[in-house]
Amino acid sequence: MNKIMEQTLLYDFYGELLTDHQRQVYEAVVLNDYSLSEVAEDLGISRQGVHDMIKRCGRILSDYEEKLHLVSRFVSVKEKVNQIHILTKNCQNESKESLMRKIEEISNGILEEL
């Protein structure tokens, strides 16, 4: 998974656990692609302060993921649902029993993760 997608998913899942100020800075730089200088000027803090805040927020979000694994579970379930989608879309090449067995295996994997 690329870095931007990872940061976005981490923020989507855990962003509400950051303070308002942390969210404001993180959203501006990471999600809205403002420069550190622009955010520093807007908020009346140093460029280094913005940089440190982004690093700190990244660590905080990563720590939540290490403990809770919500993003990794989400990605795994999404991949499995996509597998089911592909199987059902290309079902002409498979017998009904074989298709149902594969779908059942995948869905059991999803249920175990949840």
Side-chain angles (χ1 to χ4, degrees), residues 1 5-24 26-27 31 56-76 113:
M1 180 172 12
M5 179 64 83
E6 181 181 350
Q7 289 176 318
T8 302
L9 284 173
L10 287 172
Y11 185 78
D12 285 347
F13 278 85
Y14 307 114
E16 288 298 315
L17 300 172
L18 299 174
T19 67
D20 289 338
H21 183 66
Q22 288 171 328
R23 276 196 312 271
Q24 183 181 18
Y26 194 84
E27 285 178 9
L31 303 179
R56 189 175 320 116
C57 289
R59 278 193 308 272
I60 290 168
L61 297 173
S62 293
D63 287 347
Y64 283 129
E65 176 59 16
E66 274 185 39
K67 293 173 183 160
L68 300 172
H69 308 287
L70 297 177
V71 173
S72 60
R73 286 183 189 146
F74 170 77
V75 169
S76 177
E113 286 188 57

Side-chain angles (χ1 to χ4, degrees), residues 80-90:
K80 289 176 181 172
V81 169
N82 190 46
Q83 290 173 355
I84 291 172
H85 178 74
I86 290 169
L87 282 172
T88 57
K89 199 171 187 179
N90 300 324

Side-chain angles (χ1 to χ4, degrees), residues 89-105:
K89 199 171 187 179
N90 300 324
C91 64
Q92 306 92 333
N93 302 334
E94 304 252 355
S95 70
K96 184 176 180 179
E97 294 80 24
S98 173
L99 180 64
M100 295 303 288
R101 189 172 43 257
K102 288 179 182 179
I103 291 173
E104 185 175 0
E105 287 173 13

Side-chain angles (χ1 to χ4, degrees), residues 25 36-37 39-41 43-53:
V25 171
L36 299 178
S37 300
V39 175
E41 186 177 322
L43 298 177
I45 58 178
S46 70
R47 184 183 177 285
Q48 184 64 45
V50 173
H51 178 267
D52 292 346
M53 177 77 68

